[in-house]
């Protein structure tokens, strides 16, 4: 039986990044979970704050060659509704940065993390599944699928929507579903994307192209489940032509690479994000549709909070109330992000004319009002910065009036 300061259950992107971050601090860490049976064909757009964190973990130099910068986001109302919104352009230069973030293919990103895990002396990688959890006053005892047992001061559940850690800790969830599925794939194209992501809002959900290096892009195409099923059946040449048509040929001729994958869309929020010796990160804590590049960025903020709360090794057992403190620290960010993504997605699906009008008016304001657009961009890059910027602006105005 081995004892660790922290055991992380789930070896996806969120769990692997948490393990690396904590092991770099000097903690004895075990990362538990089997390797994925099927390579993840999706990509992840990491925003500026997340990229800065990768740099602190000394990962960015190896990850950067896989990525394409997002210098602008172009939103187009692709619906055929009576009330349509004007196009909206968000440019990173408007808020003084080179790029909002970078788009990274998941599978090679995870391979880089696995190599880094193997090089950290305080990190142990266990590929057996965790099967049992016994929460005692002084430690957590974890039974593994190979018959062995390990113990830990703290457990981080990074084990996805059906999290065994969350269930064992008796933490409930609020779940909901959407009449949607996301088709994801990569494709090459004739014309350069200029590092611009284009998002067409349709009646069934967003159709979003995100740049990859060279004349290549990734696609997240949200459809009805039946349409998604039919899309997966299309021959590659017909699928390529369909994507080109949907994109209004803005990137010229399109050629789909490999086989597309499809994922049903649903939402999940844990009733608590931590309790006692347990903390939940990633989709064990929160899950929502792939809109606005919020998923892994929110998960990385979970990881940052875990590392901050745990602190450097002190030589004594980690506190039994760490999970409760984590819950308090993460609640506002997770709840607000989940609600905003859910509201945006439902506004696209709604056939109710007043809802369509409100959405169109909102996008019109963003299109015409530069300061408002800037505040929204800053909030997307650095959560909480929009409110701070408003406070500072008000202070300056009050100071000028008082002078």
């Amino acid at each position: 039986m081995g004892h660790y300061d922290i055991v992380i259950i789930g070896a996806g992107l969120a769990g692997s990044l948490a393990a690396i971050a904590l092991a770099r601090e000097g903690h004895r860490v075990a990362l538990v979970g089997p390797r994925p049976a099927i390579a993840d064909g999706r990509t992840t757009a990491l925003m500026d704050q997340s990229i800065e964190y990768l740099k602190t973990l000394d990962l960015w130099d190896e990850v950067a060659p896989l990525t394409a910068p997002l210098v602008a986001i172009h939103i187009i109302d692709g619906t055929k509704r009576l009330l349509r919104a004007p196009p909206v352009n968000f440019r990173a230069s408007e808020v003084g940065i080179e790029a909002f973030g970078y788009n990274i293919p998941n599978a090679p990103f995870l391979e880089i993390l696995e190599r880094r895990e193997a090089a950290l002396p305080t990190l142990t990688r266990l590929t057996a599944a965790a099967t049992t959890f016994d929460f005692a006053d002084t430690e957590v005892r974890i039974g593994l699928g190979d018959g062995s047992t390990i113990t830990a001061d703290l457990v981080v559940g990074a084990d996805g929507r059906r999290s065994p850690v969350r269930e064992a800790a008796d933490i409930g969830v609020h779940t909901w579903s959407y009449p949607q599925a996301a088709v994801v794939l990569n494709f090459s194209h004739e014309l350069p994307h200029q590092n611009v992501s284009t998002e067409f809002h349709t009646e069934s959900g967003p159709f979003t192209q995100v740049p990859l290096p060279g004349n290549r892009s990734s696609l997240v195409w949200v459809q009805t489940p039946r349409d998604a099923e039919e899309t997966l059946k299309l021959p590659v040449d017909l699928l390529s032509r369909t994507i080109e048509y949907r994109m209004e040929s803005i990137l010229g001729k399109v050629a789909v690479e490999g086989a597309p994958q499809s994922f049903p869309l649903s939402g999940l929020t844990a009733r608590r994000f931590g309790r006692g010796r347990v903390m939940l990160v990633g989709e064990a804590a929160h899950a929502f549709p792939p809109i606005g590049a919020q998923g892994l960025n929110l998960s990385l903020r979970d990881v940052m909070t875990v590392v901050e709360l745990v602190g450097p090794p002190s030589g004594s057992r980690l506190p039994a109330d760490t999970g409760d403190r984590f819950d308090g620290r993460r609640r506002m960010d997770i709840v607000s992000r989940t609600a905003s993504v859910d509201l945006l997605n439902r506004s696209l699906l709604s056939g109710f004319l007043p809802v369509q009008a409100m959405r169109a008016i909102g996008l019109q304001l963003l299109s015409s009002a530069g300061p408002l657009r800037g505040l929204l961009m800053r909030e997307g890059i650095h959560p909480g910065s929009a409110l701070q910027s408003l406070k500072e602006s008000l202070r300056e105005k009050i100071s000028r009036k008082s002078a």
Side-chain angles (χ1 to χ4, degrees):
M1 181 189 299
H3 181 82
Y4 300 90
D5 299 327
I6 305 148
V7 169
I8 298 164
I9 310 297
L13 290 174
S16 296
L17 285 162
I20 290 168
L22 290 163
R24 280 174 52 88
E25 292 289 313
H27 293 287
R28 295 165 297 166
V29 177
L31 177 60
V32 178
R35 292 183 172 86
I38 301 174
D40 189 344
R42 295 171 293 180
T43 64
T44 296
L46 288 181
M47 296 296 102
D48 183 67
Q49 184 185 37
S50 298
I51 296 299
E52 290 303 314
Y53 194 60
L54 291 187
K55 291 177 181 177
T56 68
L57 299 179
D58 293 328
L59 289 166
W60 179 239
D61 287 345
E62 194 171 357
V63 171
L66 302 172
T67 71
L70 306 179
V71 302
I73 300 171
H74 188 37
I75 297 177
I76 299 173
D77 190 335
T79 68
K80 295 180 174 61
R81 291 169 175 162
L82 177 63
L83 297 173
R84 298 179 63 195
V88 182
N89 289 298
F90 298 95
R91 297 193 175 278
S93 58
E94 289 187 71
V95 288
I97 57 175
E98 293 183 0
F100 291 119
Y102 292 78
N103 194 34
I104 306 170
N106 288 2
F109 187 17
L110 192 56
E111 290 173 3
I112 289 172
L113 299 183
E114 288 176 350
R115 290 196 294 272
R116 184 58 57 90
E117 291 158 12
L120 289 167
T122 60
L123 198 162
T124 301
R125 180 71 174 89
L126 302 173
T127 56
T131 55
T132 62
F133 300 89
D134 180 15
F135 300 101
D137 291 338
T138 57
E139 64 183 18
V140 183
R141 185 182 297 266
I142 304 153
L144 303 181
D146 61 5
S148 62
T149 300
I150 57 176
T151 59
D153 292 355
L154 300 175
V155 171
V156 174
D159 46 349
R161 296 177 185 234
R162 296 182 177 85
S163 169
V165 172
R166 187 183 65 226
E167 183 177 349
D170 196 26
I171 296 174
V173 293
H174 171 54
T175 61
W176 61 97
S177 61
Y178 302 95
Q180 297 168 297
V183 173
V184 298
L185 54 87
N186 296 334
F187 64 96
S188 61
H189 38 81
E190 183 180 16
L191 302 177
H193 47 54
Q194 306 292 347
N195 296 322
V196 175
S197 173
T198 303
E199 182 170 308
F200 293 85
H201 286 181
T202 76
E203 289 86 351
S204 61
F207 175 100
T208 307
Q209 164 266 335
V210 189
L212 286 170
N215 280 15
R216 299 175 62 245
S217 292
S218 61
L219 178 70
V220 179
W221 184 0
V222 177
Q223 303 174 269
T224 66
R226 177 175 294 181
D227 287 345
E229 187 177 340
E230 292 301 315
T231 297
L232 295 183
K233 295 177 183 177
L234 292 176
V236 172
D237 58 344
L238 179 55
L239 178 57
S240 299
R241 291 198 300 271
T242 301
I243 291 169
E244 181 184 343
Y245 172 76
R246 287 276 183 171
M247 293 195 65
E248 302 175 0
S249 297
I250 61 173
L251 295 177
K253 187 176 180 180
V254 163
V256 171
E257 302 175 349
Q261 296 175 312
S262 178
F263 303 88
L265 296 193
S266 61
L268 174 152
T269 304
R271 302 290 185 186
R272 295 180 59 89
F273 307 114
R275 171 179 285 160
R277 296 187 177 276
V278 172
M279 293 174 281
L280 302 177
V281 305
E283 291 197 340
H286 46 77
F288 41 70
I291 296 174
Q294 293 298 312
L296 187 59
N297 292 285
L298 188 61
S299 300
L300 266 174
R301 294 200 293 277
D302 296 339
V303 171
M304 294 177 204
T305 305
V306 169
V307 175
E308 185 179 342
L309 278 177
V310 170
S314 64
S316 58
R317 288 291 181 97
L318 294 169
D321 66 344
T322 305
D324 299 283
R325 290 186 289 125
F326 178 81
D327 175 67
R329 290 279 298 275
R330 293 299 299 139
R331 182 160 296 277
M332 181 62 72
D333 186 21
I334 293 172
V335 170
S336 62
R337 292 287 151 165
T338 302
S340 62
V341 170
D342 179 62
L343 179 62
L344 177 58
N345 191 46
R346 292 186 190 278
S347 75
L348 287 172
L349 294 174
S350 177
F352 190 43
L353 195 60
V355 173
Q356 295 177 20
M358 290 176 64
R359 177 178 163 273
I361 291 169
L363 288 174
Q364 175 68 59
L365 284 171
L366 289 175
S367 177
S368 59
L372 178 61
R373 192 168 58 249
L375 282 175
L376 184 65
M377 286 188 285
R378 290 186 182 92
E379 182 62 23
I381 298 166
H382 295 287
S385 61
L387 182 60
Q388 185 61 34
S389 178
L390 280 173
K391 288 179 179 178
E392 291 174 359
S393 178
L394 287 172
R395 287 195 194 102
E396 287 178 8
K397 289 180 180 178
I398 293 169
S399 297
R400 285 198 296 268
K401 287 181 179 179
S402 301

